Amino acid sequence: MAHRLIAQIVLTGSRVLGRAFIEAYRQAAASSRHAQAVGTSGSAATGTAKNNIASAGLTLDEACKILNVAPPQAGKANMEVVTERFKRLFDLNDPQKGGSFYLQSKVLRARERIEMEVREAERTAQQEEKLKGEWHPKIYKDR
């Protein structure tokens, strides 16, 4: 009698766990498909998904809120203010001084995200300027 009870418990438990694993797999597959679809259809206004989720998952908005700075306008930001706020918050959250390593890493990622955004905007502006200044189409009159 006891062996039947134990067998039923084991079978019921294995069914529950099996269904849970199957459901988790389905959710992971759906999430993967969604992330892939978002990554391939990034719009020009918002940038690609890779650019929006760069630097450990921080968006530009989140990075600006963490450092309490204004978002870069037209790719330009006051990097002195960003650096000053970064140093202050980084030092305040030093784990050896009783701070939080998690917060310290968030501050670091926020600075990296803002710097990446500014670098990307500068690089794009330089490429556009280079194309405008050097583009001279060749015109052949004999054709």
Side-chain angles (χ1 to χ4, degrees):
M1 189 79 153
H3 64 286
R4 252 190 201 178
L5 183 61
I6 292 173
Q8 283 181 339
I9 291 173
V10 169
L11 285 175
T12 305
S14 64
R15 283 185 198 153
V16 169
L17 286 175
R19 288 180 184 163
F21 281 121
I22 290 171
E23 185 63 28
Y25 177 76
R26 286 180 185 158
Q27 287 180 358
S31 176
S32 170
R33 285 192 302 269
H34 175 70
Q36 187 177 23
V38 169
T40 57
S41 67
S43 67
T46 61
T48 62
K50 179 183 173 189
N51 194 22
N52 285 339
I53 305 176
S55 192
L58 282 180
T59 63
L60 182 61
D61 247 5
E62 290 172 330
C64 290
K65 286 178 184 176
I66 288 171
L67 292 178
N68 194 23
V69 295
Q73 299 297 327
K76 299 191 190 254
N78 190 351
M79 292 309 291
E80 294 168 358
V81 173
V82 170
T83 304
E84 171 195 327
R85 298 235 170 108
F86 162 74
K87 286 180 181 178
R88 182 175 169 271
L89 290 171
F90 193 81
D91 289 340
L92 283 173
N93 290 304
D94 188 7
Q96 294 177 348
K97 297 178 184 175
S100 167
F101 178 73
Y102 174 77
L103 292 177
Q104 192 180 41
S105 65
K106 281 291 191 183
V107 169
L108 177 67
R109 299 295 173 234
R111 186 206 61 184
E112 289 175 346
R113 176 70 169 112
I114 293 172
E115 287 177 348
M116 182 193 71
E117 191 73 25
V118 170
R119 268 195 315 267
E120 187 69 27
E122 287 175 353
R123 187 179 63 80
T124 304
Q126 285 175 353
Q127 284 179 346
E128 288 176 3
E129 187 65 33
K130 184 177 180 183
L131 287 175
K132 286 180 184 177
E134 294 181 2
W135 190 70
H136 302 290
K138 294 182 179 179
I139 300 173
Y140 298 102
K141 293 184 181 183
D142 60 331
R143 291 187 191 177

